[in-house]
C-alpha cells in the first residue's frame, strides 16, 4: 500500500507537465513492458475465448487507471481512493445474502455523503467524485473480467491485459501531452510510477497472499485510503479536514467489516492472486 500510494503521489506531481492522461499512459505503458519481460506471454498459446476476456480485462484496467488519475486532478488522493473503493465494496455486498451487510452499506453511504458537496466541511468537487465513482465501477468490472481472464495462465493474462490497457490509454495520453511525454525526465518519473504503483506492489501482494488468509489480507487492504491520505500529506502536502478524515474512516470501516464478517470458508489460505486482486 505504501508503494502503491507513494507512486500515486509521484504521479500527481507529474500532472502539471504530462497531464493526468499522459501520466496514466506512462504508468500502464511501462508496467506492460515490465510484466511482458517477466512473464513472456508469447510462450503459451492463447484461445480466442481467452483473448476476448483478456481484452475486456485490459480495457477495464486502462479505463480504471485513466478515470482515477483524472479524479486526482480535482480531489485529494485519500478521498479519491476512498470513493473508488466503493466499486469493489458494492461488488462484495452484491454477492452477499446477509441482512447484517445493510449496516456496512450504511457506513459506506454515510462516508460518501460526508465527501459530497452538500455544504458540509468535507464537501469535494462533484466532477471529481463522479470520476472516482466511475473508476470504482471500472474496478468492479476489472475484478469480474480478471477472474475470467486469469483462469488460464495468470501471468500471461496480467501481462497481455496490461498491454491492452496501455493501448486503451495511450491515445488520450498522446492527445493531452504530445511529445512532452517523451522527455527523458518525464520518462524517468513515469518509470518510477510504474514500478512503485504496479510491479513492486503486485509482487509483494503475491508474497503476502501465500502467508495470509483472505480475510486478514482483505481487512489490511481496507486501510489503503488512510495510507493514501497520509502519504499524500507527507509527500505533496495534501491536508484533509476532520470531516474528510471521518468520511475515509467510515468507508474503511465498511470495507473491513464486510471482509471480516465473511463466512469462515472465505478465510482459508489461498494461492497467489489472480490478476483481479488489485488495480
Amino acid at each position: 500500500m505504501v508503494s502503491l500510494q507513494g507512486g500515486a503521489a509521484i504521479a500527481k506531481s507529474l500532472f502539471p507537465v504530462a497531464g493526468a492522461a499522459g501520466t496514466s499512459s506512462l504508468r500502464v505503458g511501462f508496467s506492460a513492458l515490465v510484466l511482458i519481460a517477466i512473464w513472456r506471454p508469447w510462450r503459451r498459446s492463447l484461445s480466442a475465448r481467452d483473448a476476448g476476456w483478456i481484452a475486456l480485462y485490459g480495457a477495464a484496467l486502462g479505463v480504471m487507471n485513466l478515470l482515477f488519475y483524472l479524479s486526482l486532478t480535482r480531489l485529494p488522493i485519500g478521498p479519491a481512493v476512498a470513493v473508488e473503493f466503493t466499486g469493489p465494496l458494492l461488488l462484495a455486498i452484491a454477492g452477499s445474502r446477509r441482512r447484517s451487510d445493510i449496516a456496512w452499506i450504511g457506513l459506506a453511504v454515510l462516508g460518501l455523503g460526508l465527501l459530497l458537496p452538500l455544504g458540509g466541511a468535507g464537501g469535494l468537487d462533484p466532477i471529481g467524485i463522479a470520476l472516482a465513482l466511475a473508476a470504482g465501477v471500472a474496478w468492479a468490472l476489472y475484478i469480474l473480467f480478471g477472474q475470467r481472464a486469469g483462469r488460464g495462465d495468470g501471468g500471461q493474462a496480467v501481462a497481455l491485459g496490461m498491454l491492452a490497457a496501455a493501448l486503451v490509454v495511450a491515445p488520450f495520453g498522446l492527445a493531452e501531452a504530445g511529445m512532452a511525454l517523451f522527455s527523458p525526465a518525464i520518462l524517468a518519473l513515469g518509470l518510477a510510477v510504474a514500478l512503485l504503483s504496479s510491479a513492486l506492489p503486485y509482487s509483494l501482494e503475491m508474497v503476502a497472499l501465500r502467508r495470509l488468509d483472505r480475510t486478514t489480507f482483505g481487512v489490511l487492504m481496507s486501510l489503503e485510503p488512510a495510507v493514501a491520505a497520509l502519504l499524500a500529506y507527507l509527500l505533496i502536502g495534501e491536508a484533509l479536514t476532520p470531516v474528510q478524515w471521518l468520511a475515509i474512516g467510515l468507508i474503511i470501516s465498511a470495507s473491513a467489516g464486510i471482509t471480516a464478517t465473511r463466512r469462515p470458508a472465505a478465510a482459508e489460505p489461498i494461492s497467489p492472486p489472480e490478476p483481479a486482486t488489485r488495480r
Side-chain angles (χ1 to χ4, degrees):
M1 286 185 282
V2 170
S3 177
L4 183 66
Q5 298 309 324
I10 294 174
K12 192 163 185 177
S13 70
L14 273 174
F15 287 0
V17 289
T23 304
S24 180
S25 297
L26 290 173
R27 174 187 172 178
V28 296
F30 277 122
S31 296
L33 292 176
V34 170
L35 290 170
I36 287 172
I38 292 173
W39 292 106
R40 291 176 285 177
W42 60 83
R43 296 182 302 171
R44 181 185 175 114
S45 61
L46 189 67
S47 69
R49 180 184 178 87
D50 288 341
W53 285 117
I54 288 174
L56 289 172
Y57 160 69
L61 174 61
V63 170
M64 175 182 62
N65 277 277
L66 179 60
L67 289 171
F68 177 68
Y69 276 15
L70 288 173
S71 75
L72 294 186
T73 64
R74 296 173 174 271
L75 300 178
I77 294 176
V81 172
V83 173
E84 189 192 24
F85 251 66
T86 58
L89 173 61
L90 291 176
L91 185 63
I93 292 174
S96 173
R97 297 294 182 268
R98 298 173 304 171
R99 294 182 180 179
S100 61
D101 287 337
I102 295 175
W104 306 124
I105 295 174
L107 278 181
V109 170
L110 180 57
L112 281 175
L114 291 175
L115 292 174
L116 293 174
L118 302 175
L124 296 170
D125 182 272
I127 296 177
I129 293 287
L131 288 167
L133 285 172
V137 172
W139 191 355
L141 292 174
Y142 159 81
I143 292 172
L144 294 173
F145 295 146
Q147 288 172 339
R148 295 278 189 170
R151 287 180 178 176
D153 185 327
Q156 181 189 53
V158 169
L160 294 180
M162 191 66 76
L163 177 61
L167 294 175
V168 168
V169 177
F172 297 95
L174 290 171
E176 182 176 30
M179 295 307 296
L181 206 59
F182 301 100
S183 163
I186 292 178
L187 287 174
L189 287 172
L191 177 59
V193 169
L195 293 175
L196 287 171
S197 298
S198 298
L200 181 57
Y202 292 173
S203 300
L204 291 173
E205 285 175 359
M206 280 195 171
V207 175
L209 276 165
R210 288 191 177 100
R211 293 161 171 79
L212 297 175
D213 60 66
R214 189 186 300 271
T215 298
T216 303
F217 180 85
V219 171
L220 287 172
M221 290 307 302
S222 299
L223 297 174
E224 188 166 336
V227 173
L230 181 59
L231 283 174
Y233 174 72
L234 294 175
L235 296 178
I236 57 177
E238 283 188 349
L240 302 182
T241 67
V243 172
Q244 290 167 352
W245 274 110
L246 175 60
I248 289 174
L250 291 172
I251 294 172
I252 287 174
S253 298
S255 178
I258 190 67
T259 302
T261 57
R262 285 175 178 168
R263 290 184 176 88
E268 296 175 355
I270 57 175
S271 57
E274 294 178 345
T277 302
R278 291 283 287 114
R279 56 182 164 80

